[in-house]
Amino acid sequence: MFIDGKWIDREDFEVINPYTLEVIKKIPALSREEVKEAIDTAEKYKEVMKNLSISKRYNILMNIAKQIKERKEELAKILAIDAGKPIKQARVEVERSIGTFKLAAFYAKEFRDEAIPSDDKLIFTKREPVGIVGAITPFNFPLNLSAHKIASAIATGNVVIHHPSSKAPLACIELAKIIERALKKYKVPLGVYNLLTGAGEVVGDEMVVNEKVNMISFTGSLKVGEMIAKKAGFKKITLELGGVNPNIVLKDANLEKAVNSLIKGSFIYAGQVCISVGMILVDESIADRFIEMFVNKAKELNVGNPLDERTDVGPLISVEHAEWVEGIVEKAIDEGGKLLLGGKRDKAIFYPTILEVDRDNILCKTETFAPVIPIIRANEEEMIDIANSTEYGLHSAVFTNDINKALKFAENLEFGGVIINDSSLFRQDNMPFGGVKKSGLGREGIKYAMEEMSSIKTVIISK
């Protein structure tokens, strides 16, 4: 824990390596009273951050990016050990987090107010920080998703209380040390950033219900997101809750390109990405050929130790989750799904799995967060209806060489993002990111998160 510039080291709970299942480290778990005290302390620094100059915010963010770059390989190895992320994918996450902090530094200087036309008055707006931002981050991108929330909050002049997932907190602890050094370098009180470790039902819950916290930025499950929405009261909230992301392959698509893109979108980080491919809808006329190509390509994936440079698919975050996935696949087969590949589990590893199913199968309604892909044969006329039938609405994708069809699908798919000729996995850190329906509220992507983390004040001056 890092509270008001002080590190607190206790051995309250174990952090487990999801591949070896060994204990990596023991770290503190705050009580509810300790969380309340931390929030009370953080409140003292609201005016400090509000009045922090733009140039200091810029310098702090750039310094954080510089330090991450200097520790790139070390941080990648922590992600591989702590979160089970294959090392070559972990390096990409570290690189993205560097860019995320740099983007926030840029937008700290470019975040502009607005002049409002008026006949006889001077009217302009001011963007002001909300105050205290509670950042609750998940296990799957511990570094970059933390970067998105923390960097945006600093850029807008907010105090940050950061609660990382207890399943993979170690990269976030190292990030806190980096932030500490940056704040010291520019002589900013360390209490403007606080790291609170522990159980979500204690730490996260107190952050949500505590009236001194002005905003919650949460990435995680629908179940927890719904609880936050009910408990948050009048504080601002942004929720990124994942989805079952449909990827559509039309009969005129470039199949080789579609297969390569969908393999990556389906199996990178063992499918534990909120915008991973959730289901594939393929035109009936090309389905046989597509399925053969997709299955054969999936067979080439290397499964195993995240620290091995050859590994494409590592473990799921826990044995418990892998066992749950195993049960979902069994149910999908009981409902008539045809197993084409995989279906095997070894401790926390779940091997790449592909099934052919109908639209009512459980896999088309459930976010598995696993390397499990249902494929549906469909005609073009029913694809939009099938895709929109899910209660989620984060990302979707369409593969086609016909621009008119691409625009038709983009217009009619009920999702926060529609990607043409790449999988639903695509995300660029400077674009607006978020969903509709039960995939969440608000938008991330640095500039857009900064808008969420600030309030508009209108100033009117009469002659």
Side-chain angles (χ1 to χ4, degrees), residues 232-267:
F234 283 97
K235 60 170 56 73
K236 294 184 77 172
I237 57 173
T238 57
L239 306 173
E240 197 280 279
L241 308 177
V244 179
N245 307 297
N247 286 245
I248 295 168
V249 184
L250 300 182
K251 61 184 176 183
D252 67 328
N254 180 325
L255 283 193
E256 184 177 359
K257 180 178 180 179
V259 166
N260 288 334
S261 177
L262 289 167
I263 286 290
K264 178 182 177 183
S266 299
F267 302 114

Side-chain angles (χ1 to χ4, degrees), residues 129-176:
V130 295
I132 296 177
V133 172
I136 304 176
T137 55
F139 72 82
N140 60 334
F141 282 85
L143 203 57
N144 195 41
L145 290 183
S146 295
H148 268 274
K149 298 179 191 301
I150 295 166
S152 301
I154 292 173
T156 42
N158 288 289
V159 174
V160 180
I161 295 176
H162 179 201
H163 173 49
S165 169
S166 58
K167 295 176 181 176
L170 300 187
C172 296
I173 291 172
E174 295 307 310
L175 177 60

